[in-house]
Every structure is written in C-alpha cells, then in structure tokens.
Amino acid sequence: MLPDMSELPSPKLINLTLRDGQQSTLDAADWIFEPRDFAKVIAASVKAGFDGAEIAGGQSFQIAIGRGYNPFTILGAVSHAVNASPGIDHFELQMLFRGANALGFRHYDKDVVEITLKEFVKHGITKIRFFDALNDIDNLELPESIKGVQNVVLEGAICFCHYADAPERYTDAYFCSYTQALLDAGYNAIAIKDMSGQLTAERISTLVPALQEILQPKNIPLTLHCHSTNAEKSQAAIAKATEYGIHAIETCEGVIAGGSAHHALETIAPDMVKDQSSYRQLSNIISKLWGSHPDRKDIAIPQSLKEQLCAAGVPGGAMPFVIQDLKQQESAIRAKYQSSNNTPDEDIDLYDFSTIVD
C-alpha cells in the first residue's frame, strides 16, 4: 500500500554534476577542478533548492592527481567557501569511497583507508558513501575512529543488480539482508546504487517498502542513486521511489545531464523545481564551465550497445572504458570462443561487436 502522499515531505535533492556527472560523460582531460568553479555550481545549486552535492571520490581522485591538482586542497577551499557563506552551511558535501579499494582499484591496508578517510573529513566532507561493487560486506569494514566522527553521514550503498536468467540471485530478501549487515557494521544511512540503470518502477514498488520496514523504525534515511543510461526505466523508477517517500534523489544538471549520467531534476520531477529562474541560472553556469556542447563520451555509444551493457550490469560511467577494453581484446575473445566447445549458431556473426559483448 502506498503511504499517504499528503504526509510525505519532498525528497532532498543532491547534485552529482561535479563528480559522477563528469565521470559518466567526459574524458579526463575535460574535467574541471578549480575550487572557484566548484563554488559557483554549489552556490547556484543552493539557490535552486538543492541540499547537497557530490564533489569527490570515484575516479576524481586519480584524475585530479594526473592533471596536477591536489584533491585535498580543492576540498579544503570548497568547504571553506561553503562554511563561510551565510545560510548554506547546512549544505552537504558528499564523496564516493570504494571501501577496501579506497580510491583505487586494489585492496589497501586498513591504516591507509583510515588515514585517507580522516583527510577527507578534515577537509570538509560531511557525507561519505561507501560501496563494494560485489556487495561484499567484508570490504566495507569501518575504522572505529571514523565511526566516532560527529556530524558526518556514513552511508552504505547496496549495489543493485538483476539478471533475467537468474532472478533468484538478487531478491528483495537478499538486499534486505545486506542492508542489515551494513547497519550492523556501523553505517547510519543507506543508498540504493543502481549503477547501470537496471531498476524498474515495478521493482521499486517491492524493494523500497521492504527496505523501509528495516530503516524507518531506526530513522535511517534511504537515498536513490539511479543512472539514466536506460532513460525510460530509470525515470519511472525514480518517480515511483518518490511515491514511497524516498529520503533523497540525485541528479545531474545542464549539459552534463542524461545519457550515462543522471536525469536532470526538471526531467524526473519538474514540480520540485521551486524557482525556475534560479534553476535556469544553475544550468547556465554549468554551460559556461563545460561549454554548451561538451565532448560527451557517453553520447557516442549506440543505444543498442548501451542497452546490452546495461543488461549485463555495466555501470554507466564505466561503459566507455569497458568498450575500449573489449575492442582491444576483440580478436582474443573471438579466438577463445572459437577454440572452446561452444558451437556457434549459424545466425551469429562472430565479427560483429555485439557478439563480442555477449
């Protein structure tokens, strides 16, 4: 049964443009890292009614270093600007952390993870989202010193996945069990992280109520992070989540919206745009920073290939890298398949790239 809509507050709004938006759409050379540019987007986001912004984590750390920027210097300057601005010190500065992988692609020692997290908190991050792509709780152990930090949200993400050929693998019960494990590990907020746009409105209508049964009695907030790679499905999923009283939804704005990134607020919830003038100003600032027609890597991917990768669970932001990797290995994959015991169907074209993806 749906809750009484008249009693539900509007979900909080988180702007992902500066981190996940860039990662999901742009080449590393096109990222912006100047604190003054971050501050412009944040100030405009506040005026447009947003409650927070993701400004660090994921691939931003190594890309910043590769471009000659110190990520912590950037965060320190941004958080100082926020704290020094009257009326916006409540604004949440969010980052994404890969658990035991920290900000890289291998496991790091626990003391390295702890020191890194402390540095982010020291430089103004007030919400940290932790995730493990395989939902392995052993990779999401929180340092005791981080658990005790005041006024920092420690959000554990459940990575949503679904395989049509094996629906019994990832049931609502599975995600509820993992959510409980995250709470037991010390997390004080939960997010549904749908990296490849697999969620549907139908699945939201069972999953979100099941999670809320666990979270609401403990006053634990639930956020929906849903990429727009599969635009129609994700838009319907987000709309359905708001009907069930989701705590927060996340968007990308302006020229960074849509595609493999995230829907713009005006696309998924135009009624939540309270001030059209301020919202247009936010889009205009984003256009000035990246240009009105940025070189988006995700737009160049054919829709049929996007849907194929979505079905396999490939994150929207990783698609350009996965495609590049598969193209480099295309001949090896074809040779391995031909040397296996598989008997190709006569209709299969082994020289078609979609077959390589399969």
Side-chain angles (χ1 to χ4, degrees), residues 312-331:
V314 176
M319 284 187 182
F321 307 102
V322 172
I323 291 170
Q324 181 182 24
D325 188 51
L326 288 175
K327 285 185 179 295
Q328 290 174 345
Q329 300 186 59
E330 188 171 345
S331 58

Side-chain angles (χ1 to χ4, degrees), residues 184-201:
D184 293 342
Y187 291 92
N188 54 22
I190 298 294
I192 303 172
K193 184 172 171 63
D194 180 18
M195 299 178 287
S196 55
Q198 292 186 323
L199 270 170
T200 63

Side-chain angles (χ1 to χ4, degrees), residues 170-202:
Y170 298 106
T171 62
D172 291 350
Y174 164 85
F175 290 116
C176 285
S177 175
Y178 186 59
T179 294
Q180 187 58 59
L182 289 168
L183 298 179
D184 293 342
Y187 291 92
N188 54 22
I190 298 294
I192 303 172
K193 184 172 171 63
D194 180 18
M195 299 178 287
S196 55
Q198 292 186 323
L199 270 170
T200 63
E202 181 181 13

Side-chain angles (χ1 to χ4, degrees), residues 10-15 41-53 88 90-91 249 251 253 265 272-280 282:
S10 295
K12 290 183 177 295
L13 305 175
I14 310 300
N15 189 345
V41 174
I42 288 172
S45 296
V46 173
K47 290 182 179 178
F50 284 81
D51 303 282
I88 71 169
H90 68 286
F91 194 82
I249 58 175
T251 74
E253 299 300 332
L265 180 60
M272 292 185 196
V273 179
K274 304 301 183 185
D275 184 338
Q276 289 289 345
S277 177
S278 296
Y279 186 74
R280 284 195 300 273
L282 171 61

